[in-house]
Amino acid sequence: MSRPRLIVIAVVAVLLALAPAVLGNFGVSLLNDIGIGALVALGLVLLTGVGGATSFGQAAFVGIAAYATAWLTTVHHYSPWIGLLFALLLTGVAALAIGLLTLRLGGHFLPLSTIAWGLSIAMLFGNIEALGSHTGMSKIPALSLFGVSLVDPRAMYYLIWVVVGLAVLFCHNVLQSRSGRAIRSLRGGGILLASVGADAFRVRLALFVLAALLAGVAGWLYAYTNRFVSPSPFDVRASIEYLLMAVAGGLGQLTGALVGAAVVMVMKNALQDLLPLFTQRGGELQAVGFAILFLLLLHYARAGLMGFVVRWTHGRFAPKASSAPPDAPALAHRQLPARGTRVLAVRNAVKRFGGLVAVNDVSFDVAAGEIVGLIGPNGAGKSTMFNLLTGTAPMTSGGVEFLGEDVSGLPQRVIARRGMARTFQHVKLRPHMTLLDNVALGAHGRTGAGMLSAGLRMDRKEEAQIQAEAWRQLDRIGLASRAHELAGSLPLGTQRILEIARALAADPVLLVLDEPAAGLRRKEKQELGELLRKLRAEGVTILIVEHDMDFVMKLVDRLVVMNFGSKLTEGEPASVRANPDVQAAYLGGAVAVPAPRVDEPRKAVAGAGA
Ligand code: ADP
Ligand code: MG
């Protein structure tokens, strides 16, 4: 860890430890509320800030946990620690069920659905008699820890803030792990994740449950801090406050949750003190105050307060990044098939987009250890063909066999895990992640550490192996010296090469490259050619779409030519070059761009192919 960062953390920890000694009761209970709010906001920073899924229902999870433990300890007189397990179990199951039902919803429907279940759960609390209906449940016993009663808010203070500290540490560890990279890639879309063997839905579901469990811990602490629960602190208004905390502090930083919780809680208290001096309707005006804060933040400070801090300090407090690969044993390698055996067989592949037949009855084989080029004029259907054989898009009809097994209809991530790695014509990288992280993401399907083991740092051995692999692949493409730069800072051509490194981190049997040399300079193209030849020598099979004929002809063993969605011919470069049909369709440039065959404007769909 970098020194300035360590010092800041130590100072904050000491200040927090000394605070109860100098603060009055009011200050202590305010800090208690801030700590509890920070736990919920922490979940939202992960879910909304990192994962891109907005929840207006987080307070409901706080409520489920608070009510669960209150019910178990007051009605059934169980220990609050059993209550903790029960509360987390209930919150987790509820989040799992809600997540399974709603997380597939796209666009604005997900946030809207969170309002719906947020409202209904809060309403439920008020209408269940066993939970005290609208009056709630009081006489919740005090916590005790190792025989010491935590009835005093000052004692609860230490419990709350130790939990907050551990939660921040846990989330920090998760973000720096295999599952963290998947979470950070969620905004890149399901296709990107599937191409590295990950399931975006599962990643989002796990993230949703994690955020709910953090809210659950907050709810449990709430119950024993206030010793009283009622429905209103868990309604949608409270959810919006939690969201406001995350936004105010900064959705991009875990520490934003702490800062945001402090800002919102202090402001809430200030408004509660000030507004009654001017009007009797203080409660309503408080909502207006928060609305104004929300608008100001969205207009002027999308990155929240921590966003400013990061900018002002120029990353001086960022975690220190290692400048060399960790010393770790290599990840297990796949057994590559014997040279010459059939790796891929495409059988009568057809893909229709409405009236347009983008791929029309195309069949070809690829044998282990060869480089096969797929060429054809723009719009010939090459990228679509790649999408079909990698499982990125479903076929209209036809089949694909990979390593002797029928993979038609299998999800893209399953095919990827069997050893087919691809790059995209329209680059799919995470621009705000480092080169190293982007490449490490490629090893997702080869490794298995989950969120829990990452949070508890039990994944360090495997993580070191992943890092070592990522460094190795970066070194291979000559970018190891820029490992910690952001992928978005690379020129587009170099980003394509970075995608190759990501694909290689998956230890592929078959490497599928869509126009990897586009945008490269002469020398870079030469280097790419050398890399691909070296990979072939190692036994990797390569299927490549490329427009630079000079480059392709020198590189490949065989060519498959497509035109208007159909296969024109296939064969060795020399014979393809001599083929008059090919010359007419492509090499001669007589029909450089085929005319569209449907009425829809070509532009509208041109960018749609992955
Ligand atoms: P190539 O990669 O050979 O340039 P593509 O496979 O990208 O060609 O496109 C083949 C044809 O299919 C083009 O006419 C393109 O407009 C159309 N196409 C590709 N993807 C889609 C899509 N998602 N929806 C509709 N049409 C598409
Ligand atoms: Mg294409």
Side-chain angles (χ1 to χ4, degrees):
M1 202 180 276
S2 73
R3 225 166 118 161
R5 191 179 170 89
L6 210 59
I7 293 171
V8 171
I9 293 173
V11 168
V12 171
V14 168
L15 286 180
L16 279 170
L18 295 178
V22 284
L23 290 177
N25 288 341
F26 174 76
V28 170
S29 56
L30 180 61
L31 277 173
N32 284 351
D33 291 344
I34 290 173
I36 291 171
L39 281 172
V40 187
L42 197 59
L44 281 172
V45 167
L46 291 178
L47 181 68
T48 307
V50 184
T54 309
S55 167
F56 289 100
Q58 227 53 14
F61 293 127
V62 183
I64 291 175
Y67 266 101
T69 197
W71 178 76
L72 204 68
T73 48
T74 53
V75 180
H76 296 283
H77 309 291
Y78 277 94
S79 145
W81 299 99
I82 305 284
L84 175 62
L85 294 181
F86 181 61
L88 291 183
L89 184 75
L90 224 56
T91 317
V93 169
L96 201 62
I98 292 172
L100 281 170
L101 284 174
T102 63
L103 285 179
R104 282 193 204 278
L105 297 176
H108 299 303
F109 294 105
L110 175 65
L112 283 179
S113 81
T114 65
I115 297 180
W117 55 255
L119 276 173
S120 25
I121 291 174
M123 214 123 76
L124 215 57
F125 298 139
N127 286 293
I128 298 180
E129 217 145 297
L131 299 181
S133 300
H134 287 284
T135 41
M137 304 172 85
S138 51
K139 300 208 188 81
I140 298 175
L143 269 185
S144 70
L145 184 57
F146 305 121
V148 181
S149 165
L150 304 187
V151 68
D152 182 358
R154 280 162 207 275
M156 274 311 283
Y157 171 91
Y158 286 106
L159 177 65
I160 289 171
W161 281 96
V162 165
V163 170
V164 171
L166 292 176
V168 172
L169 195 61
F170 184 94
C171 295
H172 173 80
N173 292 341
V174 167
L175 282 182
Q176 309 303 317
S177 74
R178 170 180 176 271
S179 28
R181 281 185 295 272
I183 292 170
R184 286 185 281 150
S185 304
L186 275 173
R187 285 166 187 264
I191 290 179
L192 163 64
L193 280 168
S195 79
V196 297
D199 182 344
F201 177 71
R202 276 235 288 270
V203 173
R204 197 173 293 124
L205 187 62
L207 179 62
F208 187 68
V209 171
L210 173 63
L213 288 176
L214 286 166
V217 173
W220 180 78
L221 287 168
Y222 177 95
Y224 297 101
T225 307
N226 295 286
R227 316 266 303 277
F228 165 70
V229 291
S230 67
S232 66
F234 310 124
D235 61 13
V236 167
R237 189 189 290 217
S239 286
I240 293 174
E241 267 175 39
Y242 290 128
L243 201 55
L244 186 57
M245 289 176 191
V247 174
L251 284 169
Q253 263 80 31
L254 293 177
T255 43
L258 308 191
V259 175
V263 168
V264 170
M265 284 296 178
V266 168
M267 184 171 150
K268 190 173 163 181
N269 274 286
L271 287 176
Q272 269 166 5
D273 288 347
L274 287 176
L275 289 175
L277 300 180
F278 306 108
T279 164
Q280 289 182 327
R281 301 194 157 186
E284 290 157 41
L285 277 180
Q286 184 187 318
V288 176
F290 279 150
I292 293 171
L293 177 63
F294 232 135
L295 286 176
L296 287 177
L297 283 167
L298 293 181
H299 263 286
Y300 299 107
R302 289 257 172 105
L305 288 174
M306 285 311 290
F308 285 121
V309 172
V310 168
R311 202 152 4 123
W312 289 331
T313 55
H314 298 288
R316 231 166 298 159
F317 296 99
K320 199 158 95 192
S322 64
S323 54
D327 188 19
L331 287 167
H333 270 293
R334 236 184 274 273
Q335 185 76 41
L336 292 177
R339 201 168 286 275
T341 52
R342 196 167 68 199
V343 167
L344 182 79
V346 177
R347 292 284 164 261
N348 308 102
V350 174
K351 180 68 179 181
R352 277 183 232 280
F353 293 111
L356 179 91
V357 189
V359 172
N360 189 7
D361 198 22
V362 175
S363 305
F364 64 92
D365 286 357
V366 178
E370 60 172 354
I371 302 184
V372 174
L374 182 60
I375 61 169
N378 264 328
K382 306 177 299 293
S383 293
T384 307
M385 186 67 246
F386 273 10
N387 285 345
L388 299 185
L389 64 91
T390 53
T392 310
M395 286 192 181
T396 307
S397 69
V400 179
E401 214 176 79
F402 179 51
L403 298 173
E405 285 176 56
D406 183 18
V407 295
S408 345
L410 286 184
Q412 185 192 359
R413 67 165 195 287
V414 175
I415 300 176
R417 278 173 178 251
R418 290 190 186 179
M420 199 192 292
R422 71 166 299 181
T423 66
F424 297 89
Q425 181 179 348
H426 302 284
V427 178
K428 285 189 191 295
L429 285 169
R430 298 311 298 136
H432 294 295
M433 273 162 59
T434 61
L435 273 59
L436 196 62
D437 276 345
N438 270 291
V439 177
L441 181 66
H444 190 97
R446 297 168 76 183
T447 46
M451 229 178 241
L452 186 64
S453 70
L456 302 174
R457 284 183 85 81
M458 289 174 351
D459 65 335
R460 287 300 109 178
K461 193 167 148 257
E462 185 187 86
E463 181 60 22
Q465 289 181 293
I466 296 176
Q467 294 293 325
E469 175 73 15
W471 275 100
R472 200 167 72 85
Q473 301 303 347
L474 265 183
D475 194 37
R476 217 170 193 179
I477 58 166
L479 287 178
S481 61
R482 304 177 68 177
H484 297 295
E485 290 178 31
L486 298 184
S489 69
L490 295 177
L492 200 59
T494 319
Q495 293 190 11
R496 294 177 180 283
I497 305 299
L498 187 62
E499 274 204 336
I500 299 181
R502 181 178 70 201
L504 287 176
D507 187 30
V509 175
L510 175 64
L511 192 57
V512 180
L513 308 174
D514 200 345
E515 301 198 16
L520 292 189
R521 278 174 290 217
R522 235 177 101 80
K523 186 159 170 294
E524 293 169 325
K525 276 190 189 174
Q526 272 172 10
E527 285 165 4
L528 173 62
E530 272 161 37
L531 171 66
L532 297 182
R533 283 189 199 95
K534 215 166 106 203
L535 289 170
R536 169 172 56 189
E538 289 170 20
V540 178
T541 312
I542 299 171
L543 184 56
I544 179 172
V545 164
E546 188 43 61
H547 277 300
D548 182 336
M549 277 309 120
D550 207 36
F551 179 83
V552 170
M553 292 290 175
K554 280 191 208 143
L555 177 72
V556 303
D557 301 299
R558 244 159 19 87
L559 281 169
V560 175
V561 188
M562 283 180 75
N563 194 21
F564 291 115
S566 304
K567 186 170 93 175
L568 197 59
T569 182
E570 70 174 294
E572 292 184 0
S575 73
V576 166
R577 196 195 273 277
N579 186 318
D581 288 344
V582 176
Q583 298 219 337
Y586 189 63
L587 295 174
V591 198
V593 181
R597 280 155 296 152
V598 279
D599 325 357
E600 35 189 301
R602 175 160 287 256
K603 274 248 165 64
V605 285

